């Protein structure tokens, strides 16, 4: 919902060793897609382990507005009765996607090739984010978009009556854009082709195939070529959502930087298009045991045993950026607690996330006494070693859950407490963050407690 509520100031203090088991919630990307593809299938899709963060709840409400029946049976346990490809009805109300770029961009894609009109909005963060990156390719199918200047929400999409199949090379590394084009291709006759120069998370491809779409992927010199045959009848599925590697990153990184910690984070997706952070942490010297590797819900998963480690700075290879794009904020916290310098290049996409994440991390780290360098596409953090970060500042979170959680993790290992001006956005992706961290022994409190 777009009404960003009362701010919740929070503070994290130097903590004793973190110990225990951290069961993080379901993957956000897969949760959105299970509701959307469920709504486009004919019959009942069952979902277990659904992330019940606000972002996903907003997508559930949107799918209801387009005519699907979406029901919660118990915690994480949901059903979607879909209306089929091309079966969406016109929503009576504005679709409010709250804080979620994934929600709004994927939903624009899946309605853009039906003869209906829908108006989208979101919270103050989402209303600043560019939608032209999806409405440009959707226009090639024949859809029209009318929004605020700079392609911002609120925005109305008039779906194409007679959609034309499209071949589209995605100009930036973005799974949201790729997915919006593929979803638009579902209700389009013929073949829709998406070319991505750099591989991004592949949940849409895996799940579209799982729901019975005819989709092939070819690795060519110009990139990954994804070919989708339009107008399939999608078959309802049972989706077991694996745990979110992007949420797992917070307890994992906390354990690495809080002295004496030893935790287990079970069932974390190790999908190679998502696990760049874990590769990077190991290169920095992290003690992570990848135990019991197996497949769950069509994704490779492992149980992570994580122990406090003495870490060193590294240069993160640019080509790894897409596989850890959401993890740079927490990596820059780990980098501040490592010996030496960590260089993160090729990350300008961070400037158009829930906030400008390069700026938000740079300003907050500086306020905590950490030396940084930045340019449009780069963040460099000069590490202060384990226990070396002074802290003693309040970071602005700019309605960004990952900025809030990153600075709270920093506070667990810095000399003086670290506060955030507003921890309320954490509920968009990780509603149980405070309880889970407290269960490990982390000292994180709301200011007004
Ligand atoms: C997502 C794609 C990424 C990521 C976001 C989730 C998705 O965004 O940052 O959190 O589920 O497709 P971009 O497509 O903007 O890179």
């Amino acid at each position: 919902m777009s009404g960003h509520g009362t701010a919740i100031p929070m503070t994290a203090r130097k903590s004793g060793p973190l110990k225990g088991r951290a069961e993080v919630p379901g993957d956000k990307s897969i949760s959105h897609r299970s509701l959307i593809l469920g709504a486009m299938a004919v019959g009942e899709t069952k979902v277990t382990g659904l992330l019940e963060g606000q972002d996903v709840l907003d997508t559930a409400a949107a799918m209801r507005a387009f005519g699907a029946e979406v029901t919660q049976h118990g915690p994480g346990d949901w059903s979607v009765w879909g209306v089929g490809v091309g079966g969406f009805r016109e929503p009576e109300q504005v679709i409010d996607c709250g804080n979620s770029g994934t929600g709004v961009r994927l939903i624009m894609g899946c309605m853009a090739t039906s003869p209906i009109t829908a108006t989208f909005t979101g919270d103050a963060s989402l209303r600043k984010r560019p939608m032209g990156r999806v409405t440009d390719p959707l226009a090639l199918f024949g859809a029209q978009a009318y929004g605020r200047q700079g392609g911002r929400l609120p925005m109305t999409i008039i779906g194409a009556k007679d959609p034309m199949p499209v071949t589209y090379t995605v100009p930036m590394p973005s799974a949201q854009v790729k997915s919006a084009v593929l979803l638009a291709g579902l209700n389009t006759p013929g073949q829709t082709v998406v070319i991505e120069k750099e591989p991004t998370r592949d949940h849409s491809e895996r799940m579209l195939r799982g729901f019975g779409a005819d989709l092939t992927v070819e690795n060519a010199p110009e990139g990954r070529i994804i070919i989708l045959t339009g107008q399939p009848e999608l078959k309802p599925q049972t989706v077991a959502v694996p745990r979110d590697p992007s949420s797992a990153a917070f307890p994992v990184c906390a354990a690495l930087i809080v002295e004496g910690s030893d935790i287990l984070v079970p069932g974390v997706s190790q999908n190679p298009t998502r696990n760049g952070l874990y590769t990077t942490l190991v290169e920095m010297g992290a003690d992570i045991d990848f135990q019991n590797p197996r497949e769950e819900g069509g994704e490779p998963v492992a149980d992570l045993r994580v122990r406090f480690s003495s870490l060193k700075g590294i240069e993160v290879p640019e080509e790894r950026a897409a596989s850890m794009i959401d993890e740079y904020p927490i990596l820059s916290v780990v980098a501040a607690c490592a010996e030496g310098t960590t260089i993160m290049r090729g990350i300008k996409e961070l400037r158009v996330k829930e906030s400008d994440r390069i700026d938000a991390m740079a300003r907050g780290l500086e306020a905590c006494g950490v030396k940084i360098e930045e340019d449009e596409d780069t963040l460099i953090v000069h590490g202060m070693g384990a226990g070396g970060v002074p802290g003693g500042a309040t970071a602005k979170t700019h309605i960004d859950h990952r900025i809030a959680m990153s600075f709270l993790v920093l506070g667990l290992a810095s000399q003086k407490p670290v506060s955030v001006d507003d921890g309320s956005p954490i509920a968009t992706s990780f509603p149980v963050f405070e309880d889970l961290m407290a269960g490990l022994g982390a000292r994180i409190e709301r200011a007004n407690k």
Side-chain angles (χ1 to χ4, degrees):
M1 291 181 304
S2 70
H4 178 68
T6 321
I8 304 178
M10 292 171 75
T11 299
R13 290 165 211 285
K14 196 168 185 58
S15 299
L18 305 181
K19 299 269 169 163
R21 202 177 149 88
E23 296 192 347
V24 303
D27 188 83
K28 183 148 71 73
S29 294
I30 296 176
S31 294
H32 281 295
R33 287 160 173 80
S34 62
L35 296 175
I36 292 170
L37 290 176
M40 299 180 86
V42 179
E44 182 186 0
T45 285
K46 294 182 180 171
V47 189
T48 56
L50 188 86
L51 167 66
E52 285 160 353
Q54 191 58 47
D55 279 10
V56 176
L57 299 179
D58 289 338
T59 288
M63 291 301 99
R64 288 189 191 108
F66 283 103
E69 211 179 305
V70 184
T71 309
Q72 185 195 26
H73 305 294
D77 187 6
W78 290 63
S79 286
V80 185
W81 280 269
V83 293
V85 168
F88 275 2
R89 69 161 188 235
E90 187 165 278
E92 287 172 21
Q93 263 294 359
V94 173
I95 302 295
D96 188 342
C97 291
N99 192 247
S100 182
T102 305
V104 74
R105 292 183 176 130
L106 267 56
I107 297 167
M108 282 179 173
C110 68
M111 60 70 61
T113 48
S114 290
I116 56 174
T117 295
T119 300
F120 296 87
T121 192
D123 70 7
S125 154
L126 192 58
R127 290 196 306 270
K128 284 190 195 144
R129 298 179 66 186
M131 295 299 137
R133 53 176 56 197
V134 282
T135 56
D136 287 352
L138 297 181
L140 304 175
F141 287 95
Q144 297 168 58
Y146 300 94
R148 288 163 60 230
Q149 284 199 3
R152 315 279 165 190
L153 301 177
M155 180 175 272
T156 296
I157 307 282
I158 304 175
K161 286 197 177 63
D162 296 305
M164 303 275 290
V166 158
T167 293
Y168 191 67
T169 301
V170 184
M172 69 292 287
S174 169
Q176 292 174 2
V177 176
K178 165 178 70 177
S179 303
V181 177
L182 290 173
L183 291 169
L186 281 176
N187 196 35
T188 303
Q191 290 191 324
T192 289
V193 181
V194 183
I195 301 160
E196 57 174 6
K197 290 176 240 166
E198 296 172 51
T200 63
R201 66 191 68 198
D202 62 357
H203 307 302
S204 295
E205 296 91 305
R206 287 172 185 250
M207 293 179 74
L208 276 163
R209 271 211 210 96
F211 275 80
D214 177 355
L215 179 142
T216 60
V217 180
E218 208 181 287
N219 289 309
E222 63 267 44
R224 284 178 83 234
I225 305 177
I226 307 156
I227 304 173
L228 172 79
T229 303
Q231 300 182 321
E233 181 171 310
L234 295 185
K235 291 176 195 59
Q237 297 298 302
T238 298
V239 182
V241 181
R243 298 184 197 276
D244 195 323
S246 300
S247 296
F250 296 102
V252 165
C253 291
L256 289 174
I257 62 173
V258 173
E259 228 176 296
S261 299
D262 183 351
I263 66 167
L264 188 78
V265 191
V268 179
S269 168
Q270 292 298 303
N271 179 321
T273 63
R274 293 288 298 282
N275 70 355
L277 173 75
Y278 298 94
T279 308
T280 302
L281 292 172
V282 169
E283 286 175 8
M284 293 174 81
D287 181 352
I288 306 179
D289 240 359
F290 298 85
Q291 300 174 343
N292 194 13
R294 59 199 181 274
E295 188 144 306
E296 271 177 19
E299 294 271 320
V301 303
D303 303 330
L304 309 190
R305 168 121 189 239
V306 187
R307 281 172 269 215
F308 168 74
S309 307
S310 108
L311 301 165
K312 56 180 195 314
I314 62 161
E315 172 149 10
V316 183
E318 267 189 67
E319 61 277 11
R320 196 179 288 160
S323 69
M324 54 181 287
I325 196 66
D326 291 337
E327 280 66 77
Y328 283 96
I330 188 62
L331 177 64
S332 64
V333 164
V334 171
C337 301
E339 295 284 349
T341 300
T342 296
I343 302 170
M344 297 166 269
R345 295 192 202 280
I347 57 171
K348 66 172 181 293
E349 274 294 301
L350 292 194
R351 296 210 180 266
V352 290
K353 295 293 179 188
E354 285 82 330
S355 68
D356 175 342
R357 285 180 171 164
I358 297 180
D359 184 68
M361 290 313 299
R363 300 295 79 75
L365 286 172
E366 278 174 342
C368 289
V370 181
K371 220 174 122 224
I372 63 96
E373 294 167 62
E374 73 176 297
D375 68 26
E376 184 55 24
D377 201 21
T378 308
L379 180 62
I380 298 172
V381 176
H382 296 283
M384 307 187 86
V389 175
T394 299
K396 284 202 178 122
T397 61
H398 303 281
I399 326 183
D400 188 331
H401 53 131
R402 298 199 204 282
I403 300 300
M405 289 186 278
S406 296
F407 281 108
L408 291 171
V409 168
L410 180 61
L412 304 177
S414 51
Q415 293 156 6
K416 291 197 196 122
V418 174
S419 299
V420 296
D421 63 341
D422 183 11
S424 67
I426 294 171
T428 62
S429 70
F430 201 159
V432 297
F433 175 77
E434 286 169 84
D435 286 347
L436 181 144
M437 295 302 291
L440 300 175
R443 294 172 66 204
I444 298 176
E445 283 162 21
R446 295 189 179 200
N448 54 2
K449 253 192 185 170

